[in-house]
């Protein structure tokens, strides 16, 4: 072996080791990819631009891509789940599509202009910008976990396209080095990616806070925290009737329209949506994470009331079914954490305050008010808000003391 | 050197293998066989990882020259015993990342029972090392009871001379890719487990298969079971929180496997209650299965009560409502925050039936949709008459299990 090739081999070995280390440390994709590309350039590989893309299982993002340029740094792009394979966005004639559909794991094309047109229009653009070589690679991950049940091509894994500038493009040694590096990158990204995926999915299905607790390891079954919180119930009115009158897809559409508007109003204020129960939703504002949790909760209630009205107005205009909502709030100590059996767990809240909150919620029909607020949420706010009105004192089933209930004007 | 080249190739092999579907123990076996072929005599290897997991305390992947590959799963409880007396624990407490112990030589009272066992099997050398996933972490400061990102490997030789220095170098070299490979594989397994644990097996599978677009729902016929543990409200006023949680988990631990066994799945826990479905997706007879599940739950709850009472602990009752009908099953909520759930009139009816338990003074109520087809085969079913349910059209004949 000549000296230069031996030097390159050692350099590539070092880069491989480094990538594996970063994988272990869980270094974020972006710095990992940037530094890796810079190290490759330093080792003599004439990289001008590198694109990495990976599919995700995030509910909304179908795939993400990192685009690195030697001059210009790195950019991230997310592709909407439904638009990812959109032919209108150039996917139809893209070399990556060809690679994905081929049996091979590589697609290589020198970018020296010849008499024949390039197989992909994109190459013309690259040549205009000074590129001289194109090498696309893919690494397929275990289809068992990330395979897609839909009709889209399932290639689960990552695709990397490497573009060179400089008069000679990629040498055979360069390509060999990239090939040797691929499994290490794939492994580092896969390991990272798995954790990211679990993170994303848990956040979507348990809520950010619960997901964070799970991923931080404080989730042995039965691990609960005693916290003080404002408990918020939200229900759509007349849902039973609606669900009998409307066909399935319209019910879902209705639910999602309202929930879609309401959830951000709670989460943006630091609340946690704990669960959806049919047409209802349970959320908490934990006192240790939300300043002035009572005021914040009532604030959220007002915002939700307005948002529901807005959604209903919009739907009425489009001749879609619409409805109103009822809400209730109560504050107290709850146990918040993991409950269930070893194989099946749920994040939930338990405790007398939760029962009281449910009873207060059930009072809405009785007091004929869409919003019912318990005393320990309302009383601290009486000085600051003139729209809080007492409804009187009530006996709630299963609650030992009488409760004064309030509403919002 | 030839061995250097061989070890480098083994490290490359580990990285390649990491991307396949091969289970971790196969990876460990392949590695050990290759190490032996390259002249590094490994007689036994043990790789341990403590993943983030609500149930698993640790996973151990082992290979033994005579018995091949195996893996062991430790629950949080069983882990404590195994952990406290192990060399790994010692390493953790003393903040060392490597431990080397020759096992030849006379009368050394082994501080670790494991090493004595190994010595009895003919082992001559023990080398353990840990690889941290977090740079610069001072392991001594870590809380030993929390999972943390460390992989621990131990290697045992039965060569008369034990491990040579170059053997130890070779082992150090393969541990990095090995650690990452196992991290990736266990991360995959953990992601799947977490989905199953928090969403249920079916919902978890659908999510992982990519079928999780916001708003994806399936229409299906299913039996619906609402179950509430009774008496918790009162108890939660006088018992400390941990006792309440432990009690709930006691009952749920007994009830959930019954639901699983009869083909049902728990959709959610709501405080002291749960919602489960028995769908036709599993293939017919789901309503009968659901009925049998309820009967079995009754027995199982009685057993838990007996056990708790004889230990002087409070017991709980339960109420259950079983109904069947057409539902929408799938993803509902907001794009960034959703739930797998069931929706539809049948679900509302089931909830109303549950509320009737108190009025009818029965702890099990079954709707006619489930009971009527089963009357001949399930003699315990007893009609309680026809009832109007709030918000539900027409009367419903309700049954109980005698």
């Amino acid at each position: 072996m000549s000296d230069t090739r031996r030097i390159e081999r050692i350099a590539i070995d070092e880069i491989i080791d480094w990538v594996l280390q970063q994988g272990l440390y869980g270094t974020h994709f972006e710095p990992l990819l940037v530094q890796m590309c810079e190290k490759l350039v330093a080792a003599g590989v004439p990289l001008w631009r590198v694109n990495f893309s990976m599919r995700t299982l995030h509910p909304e993002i179908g795939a993400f891509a990192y685009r690195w340029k030697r001059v210009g740094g790195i950019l991230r792009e997310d592709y909407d789940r439904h638009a990812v394979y959109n032919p209108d966005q150039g996917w139809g004639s893209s070399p990556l599509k060809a690679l994905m559909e081929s049996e091979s794991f590589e697609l290589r094309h020198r970018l020296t202009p010849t008499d024949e047109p390039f197989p992909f229009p994109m190459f013309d653009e690259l040549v205009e910008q000074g590129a001289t070589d194109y090498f696309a690679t893919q690494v397929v991950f275990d289809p068992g976990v990330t395979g897609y049940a839909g009709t889209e091509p399932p290639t689960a894994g990552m695709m990397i396209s490497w573009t060179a500038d400089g008069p000679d493009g990629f040498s055979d040694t360069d390509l060999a080095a990239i090939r040797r590096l691929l499994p290490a990158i794939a492994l580092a990204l896969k390991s990272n990616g798995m954790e990211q995926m679990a993170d994303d999915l848990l956040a979507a299905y348990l809520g950010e806070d619960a997901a964070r607790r799970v991923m931080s390891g404080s989730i042995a079954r039965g691990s609960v925290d005693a916290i003080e919180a404002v408990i918020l119930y939200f229900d759509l009115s007349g849902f039973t009737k609606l669900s009998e009158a409307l066909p399935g897809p319209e019910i879902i559409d209705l639910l999602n329209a309202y929930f879609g508007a309401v959830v951000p109003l709670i989460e943006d204020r630091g609340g946690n949506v704990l669960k959806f129960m049919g047409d209802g939703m349970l959320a908490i504002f934990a006192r240790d994470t939300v300043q002035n949790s009572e005021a914040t909760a009532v604030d959220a209630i007002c915002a939700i009331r307005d948002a529901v009205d807005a959604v209903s107005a919009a739907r009425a205009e489009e001749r879609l079914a619409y409805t109103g909502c009822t809400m209730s709030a109560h504050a107290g100590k709850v146990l918040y954490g993991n409950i269930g059996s070893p194989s099946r767990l749920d994040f939930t809240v338990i405790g007398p305050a939760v029962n009281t909150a449910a009873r207060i919620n059930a009072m809405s029909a009785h007091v004929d008010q869409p919003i019912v607020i318990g005393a320990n949420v309302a009383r601290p706010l009486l000085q600051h808000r003139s729209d809080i009105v007492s409804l009187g004192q009530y006996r709630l089933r299963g609650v030992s003391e009488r409760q004064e209930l309030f509403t919002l004007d | 050197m030839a061995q250097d080249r061989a070890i480098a190739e083994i490290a490359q092999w580990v990285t390649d293998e990491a991307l396949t579907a091969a289970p971790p123990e196969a990876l460990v076996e392949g590695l050990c066989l290759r190490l032996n072929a390259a002249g590094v005599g490994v007689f036994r290897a043990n790789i341990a990882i403590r993943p983030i997991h609500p149930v698993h305390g640790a996973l151990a992947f082992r290979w033994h020259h005579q018995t091949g590959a195996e893996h062991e799963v430790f629950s949080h409880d069983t882990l404590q015993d195994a952990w406290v007396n192990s060399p790994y624990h010692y390493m953790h407490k003393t903040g060392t990342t490597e431990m080397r112990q020759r096992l030849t030589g006379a009368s050394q009272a082994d501080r670790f029972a494991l090493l004595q066992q190994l010595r009895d099997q003919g082992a001559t050398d023990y080398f353990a090392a840990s690889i941290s996933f977090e740079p610069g972490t001072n392991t001594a400061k870590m809380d030993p009871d929390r999972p943390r990102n460390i992989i621990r490997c131990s290697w045992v030789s039965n060569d008369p001379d034990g491990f040579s220095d170059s053997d130890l170098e070779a082992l150090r070299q393969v541990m990095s890719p090995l650690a990452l490979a196992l991290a990736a594989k266990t991360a995959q397994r953990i992601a799947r487990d977490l989905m199953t644990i928090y969403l249920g097996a079916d919902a978890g599978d659908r999510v992982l298969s990519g079928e999780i677009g916001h708003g994806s729902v399936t229409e299906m016929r299913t039996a619906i079971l609402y179950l509430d543990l009774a008496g918790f409200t009162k108890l939660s006023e006088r018992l400390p929180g941990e006792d309440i949680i432990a009690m709930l988990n006691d009952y749920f631990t007994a009830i959930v496997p019954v639901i699983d066994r009869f083909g049902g799945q728990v959709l959610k826990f709501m405080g002291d209650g749960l919602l489960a479905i028995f769908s036709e997706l599993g293939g017919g007879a789901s309503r009968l299965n659901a009925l049998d599940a309820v009967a079995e739950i009754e027995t199982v709850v009685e057993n838990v009560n007996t056990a708790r009472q004889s230990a002087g602990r409070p017991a709980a009752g339960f109420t259950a409502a079983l109904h069947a009908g057409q539902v929408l099953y799938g993803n509902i909520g907001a794009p960034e925050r959703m739930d797998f759930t069931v929706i539809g009139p049948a679900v509302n009816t089931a909830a109303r039936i549950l509320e009737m338990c108190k009025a009818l003074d029965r702890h099990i109520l079954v709707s006619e949709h489930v009971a009527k087809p089963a009357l001949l085969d399930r003699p315990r079913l007893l009609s309680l008459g026809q009832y109007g349910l709030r918000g539900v059209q027409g009367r419903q004949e309700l049954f109980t299990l005698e």
Side-chain angles (χ1 to χ4, degrees), chain B residues 106-123:
Chain B
S107 62
Q108 280 184 41
D110 284 313
R111 65 190 305 157
F112 305 108
L114 170 71
L115 295 188
Q116 179 62 53
Q117 286 166 26
L118 291 174
R119 188 203 286 263
D120 291 342
Q121 292 169 27

Side-chain angles (χ1 to χ4, degrees), chain B residues 46-233:
Chain B
N46 180 47
I47 325 286
I49 181 170
R50 286 190 70 173
I52 297 207
H53 199 282
V55 180
H56 296 333
L59 304 168
F61 305 102
R62 292 189 201 111
W63 179 82
H64 194 284
H65 184 74
Q66 277 146 355
T67 51
E70 69 171 26
H71 75 281
E72 188 174 351
V73 177
F74 295 87
S75 71
H76 286 289
D77 302 323
T78 57
L79 177 60
Q80 271 312 106
D81 304 327
W83 168 241
V84 159
N85 299 312
S86 72
Y88 290 158
H89 187 241
Y90 178 76
M91 282 168 62
H92 172 86
K93 272 178 43 178
T94 53
T96 48
T97 54
E98 282 192 3
M99 184 170 117
R100 165 70 173 305
Q101 182 86 48
R102 287 196 189 272
L103 299 176
T104 48
S107 62
Q108 280 184 41
D110 284 313
R111 65 190 305 157
F112 305 108
L114 170 71
L115 295 188
Q116 179 62 53
Q117 286 166 26
L118 291 174
R119 188 203 286 263
D120 291 342
Q121 292 169 27
T124 54
D125 210 342
Y126 176 90
F127 172 56
S130 68
I131 299 198
S132 166
F133 292 8
E134 278 133 45
T137 338
N138 183 353
T139 56
K141 288 209 180 113
M142 286 169 148
D143 175 359
D145 289 330
R146 296 276 297 263
R148 56 222 177 278
N149 292 330
I150 295 186
I151 282 192
R152 299 197 155 85
C153 315
S154 72
W155 314 87
V156 175
S157 170
N158 65 346
D159 197 271
D161 300 321
F163 289 124
S164 67
D165 285 345
S166 66
D167 286 343
L168 295 182
E169 255 327 291
L171 291 173
R172 288 188 188 98
Q173 209 182 325
V174 300
M175 280 195 297
S176 211
L178 176 64
L180 189 55
L182 289 179
K185 284 185 186 293
T186 51
Q188 199 167 304
R189 188 180 285 189
I190 286 163
R192 180 183 268 137
D193 280 359
L194 286 175
M195 286 300 110
T196 302
I197 284 174
Y198 286 103
L199 301 183
D202 180 70
D205 277 348
R206 287 169 190 253
V207 166
L208 286 173
S209 77
E211 183 215 310
I212 52 162
H214 171 231
S216 31
V217 282
T218 312
E219 253 194 85
M220 63 180 193
R221 296 193 55 76
T222 185
I224 302 157
L225 171 66
Y226 266 112
L227 185 142
D228 250 0
L229 292 169
F232 265 85
T233 317

Side-chain angles (χ1 to χ4, degrees), chain A residues 160-303:
Chain A
I160 311 182
S161 71
W162 316 78
T163 314
D165 58 1
D168 303 317
F170 290 122
S171 68
D172 286 346
T173 334
D174 292 333
L175 296 183
I178 290 173
R179 287 188 191 101
R180 286 187 57 229
L181 190 48
L182 277 182
I185 305 172
L187 187 51
L189 292 187
K190 183 186 187 191
S191 174
N192 238 318
M194 282 299 129
E195 207 166 299
Q196 189 64 46
M197 175 184 86
D199 247 344
D200 287 345
L201 291 176
L202 286 179
Y205 288 99
L206 301 182
E208 290 269 0
D209 182 74
R212 206 178 324 123
R213 287 164 189 258
V214 170
M215 295 308 279
S216 77
S218 64
I219 38 69
R221 182 176 66 97
S223 54
V224 283
D225 287 334
I227 61 172
E228 296 230 4
V230 175
I231 302 160
L232 174 67
Y233 275 103
F234 167 93
D235 285 290
L236 290 171
S237 331
F239 186 71
T240 315
K241 274 207 171 60
L242 279 172
S243 65
E244 284 171 18
L246 293 177
E250 284 181 45
I251 306 245
I252 301 302
D253 175 65
L254 182 140
L255 284 171
N256 288 335
Y258 286 102
F259 285 148
V262 170
V263 164
L265 299 174
I266 293 176
E267 295 197 330
D268 289 348
R269 287 175 175 77
N272 299 325
V273 173
L274 289 185
K275 55 187 78 232
F276 299 95
M277 301 154 305
D279 61 333
M281 194 177 70
L282 167 65
I284 61 171
F285 292 83
R287 188 165 285 164
D288 57 1
T289 44
V290 179
Q291 296 248 9
N292 305 318
S293 43
E294 295 89 357
T296 308
V298 171
D299 208 43
I301 287 179
C302 290

Side-chain angles (χ1 to χ4, degrees), chain A residues 21 24-25 57 142 145 147 149 190 204-205 214-215 221 256 273-276 338 340 342 344-346 355, chain B residues 16 52 55 133 146 176 188 197-198 208-209 212 233 241 248-249 253 266-269 331 333 337-339:
Chain A
Q21 267 310 305
L24 271 180
Y25 294 158
L57 286 181
D142 169 16
V145 171
K190 183 186 187 191
Y205 288 99
V214 170
M215 295 308 279
R221 182 176 66 97
N256 288 335
V273 173
L274 289 185
K275 55 187 78 232
F276 299 95
N338 253 332
R344 185 72 181 86
L345 290 174
D346 217 353
N355 302 321
Chain B
D16 288 341
I52 297 207
V55 180
F133 292 8
R146 296 276 297 263
S176 211
Q188 199 167 304
I197 284 174
Y198 286 103
L208 286 173
S209 77
I212 52 162
T233 317
L248 278 173
N249 286 336
T253 301
V266 175
L267 286 185
K268 56 186 80 223
F269 295 97
N331 250 328
R337 181 70 186 90
M338 325 174 259
D339 239 354

Side-chain angles (χ1 to χ4, degrees), chain B residues 112-393:
Chain B
F112 305 108
L114 170 71
L115 295 188
Q116 179 62 53
Q117 286 166 26
L118 291 174
R119 188 203 286 263
D120 291 342
Q121 292 169 27
T124 54
D125 210 342
Y126 176 90
F127 172 56
S130 68
I131 299 198
S132 166
F133 292 8
E134 278 133 45
T137 338
N138 183 353
T139 56
K141 288 209 180 113
M142 286 169 148
D143 175 359
D145 289 330
R146 296 276 297 263
R148 56 222 177 278
N149 292 330
I150 295 186
I151 282 192
R152 299 197 155 85
C153 315
S154 72
W155 314 87
V156 175
S157 170
N158 65 346
D159 197 271
D161 300 321
F163 289 124
S164 67
D165 285 345
S166 66
D167 286 343
L168 295 182
E169 255 327 291
L171 291 173
R172 288 188 188 98
Q173 209 182 325
V174 300
M175 280 195 297
S176 211
L178 176 64
L180 189 55
L182 289 179
K185 284 185 186 293
T186 51
Q188 199 167 304
R189 188 180 285 189
I190 286 163
R192 180 183 268 137
D193 280 359
L194 286 175
M195 286 300 110
T196 302
I197 284 174
Y198 286 103
L199 301 183
D202 180 70
D205 277 348
R206 287 169 190 253
V207 166
L208 286 173
S209 77
E211 183 215 310
I212 52 162
H214 171 231
S216 31
V217 282
T218 312
E219 253 194 85
M220 63 180 193
R221 296 193 55 76
T222 185
I224 302 157
L225 171 66
Y226 266 112
L227 185 142
D228 250 0
L229 292 169
F232 265 85
T233 317
K234 276 209 166 56
L235 281 173
S236 62
E237 284 174 20
R238 65 178 176 86
L239 285 185
E242 300 83 56
D243 287 7
I244 295 287
I245 299 303
M247 188 168 170
L248 278 173
N249 286 336
D250 241 358
Y251 286 95
F252 286 147
T253 301
I255 292 171
V256 170
V258 173
I259 293 174
D260 283 344
R261 238 188 355 258
F262 285 90
Q265 46 161 336
V266 175
L267 286 185
K268 56 186 80 223
F269 295 97
M270 302 150 307
D272 56 3
L274 61 79
L275 166 64
I277 59 171
F278 295 75
S279 79
E280 315 258 287
L281 294 175
S286 57
R287 286 175 286 174
L288 202 51
N289 288 340
L291 191 56
D292 292 341
V294 173
E296 176 71 11
I297 287 173
E298 193 180 26
T299 309
V300 143
V301 169
E302 266 169 41
N303 294 343
V304 174
N305 284 341
T306 311
R308 288 184 65 90
Q309 277 159 340
S310 50
R313 293 201 224 111
F318 76 98
T319 53
L322 186 55
H323 180 51
Q326 197 82 3
V327 301
L328 290 163
Y329 167 55
N331 250 328
I332 289 157
E336 66 277 18
R337 181 70 186 90
M338 325 174 259
D339 239 354
F340 255 92
T341 189
V342 281
I343 297 268
V347 184
N348 305 323
T349 304
R352 298 292 155 264
I353 295 175
L354 186 72
E355 287 165 16
M356 291 292 282
C357 285
K358 195 172 165 120
L360 297 180
D361 199 21
R362 294 280 180 175
H363 61 277
I364 295 175
L365 286 180
V366 181
S367 87
E368 57 183 71
H369 295 258
V370 177
K372 278 198 173 138
L375 280 177
L376 288 178
D377 299 310
R378 298 289 183 270
R380 283 185 65 193
L381 284 167
L382 170 70
S383 173
L384 300 173
Q386 305 234 344
Y387 296 89
L389 302 174
R390 176 170 62 89
V392 180
Q393 278 191 333

